[in-house]
Amino acid sequence: MVTTNTLAPIAEPAATKPATTTRLTGLTNNNTTTLAGLSGWTVTKTTAVYKGTPAAAHKAVQQQMDTVRAAEGGKVSGYQSLIAVRNKLRELTEGGSHPAVTVTIKRATKKPAKTRTGSPAARLTRKRQNEYTTAELVATLETGWAAIRTNHPEVPAVVIIVGSGTASKQARYGHFAPIRWQHGDHQLAEVLISGEGLKRPVEEVFTTLLHEATHALAHAREVKDTSRQGRWHNQKFADLASELGLNTTKDPKIGWSLCTLRKETATTYKPVIADLKKALIAFRHPETTGGETKKNNNNAVPCVCQCPRRIRVAKAVLEEGAITCDICETHFEPDE
């Protein structure tokens, strides 16, 4: 800021920011030993406290893991303990919780509240405008569907909803389900856009809408475009997707399901995509499973990747070499 004053202004005391600490309890001796030398950590026998947020604590542990792995490899003593601590912290950074991790925030003294002005009705209106609702998002998705129907009249009308895409074992960005809704004498199909998928770029979200429109077009034409309970997308789906402006890639597990938006298609729907981008201001966190992990009496080792997905692998198989996740392209590592 530029000023013409010749005398230095009296500086006002800076506002005290909330002091956040992340506390881990119930740790083993190996856990605390690996954290003892890291900057920002204070450890006791079974407890470790980090001066910062869970995200900052997670980053500090991950950086130490990367350093150790690069210098000494993933099997060095203490590395698996770092993995265990990292995984506890990662659950908080992804919106979940962990029984062994607590976050304490020491907040600054509150400033006096500003005097309200205007009528009660005016104040209420402003407050409501600052709150998030799904109305604009759903309306924009419906506008996008209407635009698709304008260009492809055979695509039927549907009911669009936003919900969970990770409530089942198979995570998904969307689905098309025929005859789910009744409107007077008419039956309507349902198109789900997953809340978890709203974190993606707007072009990918609109691609999901076109992907489901492809299924809707197949249903209208009575074309069987999938098999294996809807998981495998066949060549007929690829042909219909191309008709709607998508490029498809064949995956060995799910067929021609992977779609990308063509440049000319993005140009056609440019106003719709622009409006959708404005509406993508929130997304849903994945489902988390509660309760204690069931004990298993076999010798399988629980492992996680960066997704995180979990698998159990026999120790002998794990020792033969790295197992890579095809989604995040990281190795599955033991989860203590």
Side-chain angles (χ1 to χ4, degrees):
M1 178 178 179
V2 179
T3 178
T4 57
N5 292 342
T6 56
L7 298 178
I10 300 175
E12 295 182 2
T16 304
K17 295 183 178 179
T20 303
T21 59
T22 303
R23 180 184 181 88
L24 278 70
T25 59
L27 301 180
T28 65
N29 290 336
N30 290 335
N31 294 149
T32 54
T33 299
T34 57
L35 294 174
L38 299 187
S39 176
W41 287 93
T42 303
V43 301
T44 60
K45 187 175 181 181
T46 60
T47 303
V49 178
Y50 182 81
K51 294 182 179 179
T53 64
H58 174 269
K59 182 178 180 181
V61 174
Q62 184 64 59
Q63 288 178 341
Q64 178 66 8
M65 287 176 57
D66 295 341
T67 300
V68 172
R69 189 179 184 88
E72 304 178 67
K75 296 185 181 295
V76 67
S77 176
Y79 185 74
Q80 290 189 357
S81 294
L82 285 171
I83 294 175
V85 174
R86 187 272 314 272
N87 291 342
K88 291 180 175 67
L89 292 167
R90 183 168 56 193
E91 293 189 30
L92 270 76
T93 63
E94 295 176 349
S97 62
H98 196 285
V101 184
T102 58
V103 180
T104 303
I105 302 178
K106 184 179 179 182
R107 301 194 178 277
T109 303
K110 292 184 178 180
K111 295 182 179 180
K114 294 183 178 179
T115 303
R116 287 182 165 184
T117 59
S119 66
R123 294 199 301 268
L124 182 59
T125 301
R126 287 197 297 271
K127 182 178 180 181
R128 285 181 176 175
Q129 288 176 344
N130 291 332
E131 293 177 353
Y132 174 76
T133 69
T134 56
E136 182 180 358
L137 173 62
V138 175
T140 306
L141 291 170
E142 290 177 340
T143 300
W145 191 268
I148 294 171
R149 295 188 67 205
T150 298
N151 294 323
H152 306 279
E154 288 184 81
V155 174
V158 298
V159 175
I160 295 181
I161 64 173
V162 177
S164 172
T166 56
S168 59
K169 292 182 179 180
Q170 185 67 34
R172 56 193 175 185
Y173 289 133
H175 79 210
F176 170 80
I179 318 176
R180 283 286 177 91
W181 291 74
Q182 189 74 31
H183 175 58
D185 296 331
H186 302 284
Q187 290 181 321
L188 297 172
E190 174 183 279
V191 166
L192 165 78
I193 301 299
S194 80
E196 294 87 342
L198 300 179
K199 188 177 181 180
R200 299 173 296 157
V202 62
E203 292 81 7
E204 294 183 20
V205 177
F206 187 73
T207 298
T208 297
L209 200 64
L210 274 174
H211 179 116
E212 304 311 329
T214 303
H215 288 307
L217 181 59
H219 179 71
R221 293 181 180 177
E222 298 183 353
V223 173
K224 185 174 176 57
D225 62 337
T226 64
S227 57
R228 303 177 192 172
Q229 291 77 47
R231 293 191 298 273
W232 179 264
H233 292 56
N234 58 32
Q235 182 63 50
K236 294 179 181 178
F237 172 86
D239 294 340
L240 292 175
S242 178
E243 184 178 332
L244 265 63
L246 296 174
N247 290 326
T248 55
T249 304
K250 189 176 183 180
D251 181 271
K253 295 181 180 179
I254 55 179
W256 298 93
S257 177
L258 305 179
C259 299
T260 54
L261 198 64
R262 292 181 190 153
K263 290 184 178 180
E264 57 269 26
T265 308
T267 301
T268 300
Y269 294 103
K270 186 176 180 180
V272 173
I273 294 174
D275 289 341
L276 183 58
K277 184 176 183 179
K278 296 177 183 177
L280 296 182
I281 58 175
F283 62 89
R284 188 180 190 277
H285 291 291
E287 298 286 345
T288 56
T289 55
E292 296 181 356
T293 305
K294 294 182 179 179
K295 295 183 178 180
N296 200 321
N297 57 6
N298 60 26
N299 293 324
V301 178
C303 299
V304 295
C305 64
Q306 294 285 355
C307 284
R309 294 196 296 169
R310 295 178 63 87
I311 62 173
R312 297 185 70 85
V313 184
K315 291 182 180 179
V317 174
L318 190 61
E319 291 173 355
E320 290 179 2
I323 300 175
T324 304
C325 173
D326 191 45
I327 296 177
C328 64
E329 299 182 350
T330 61
H331 298 325
F332 282 99
E333 299 172 330
D335 182 24
E336 291 188 351

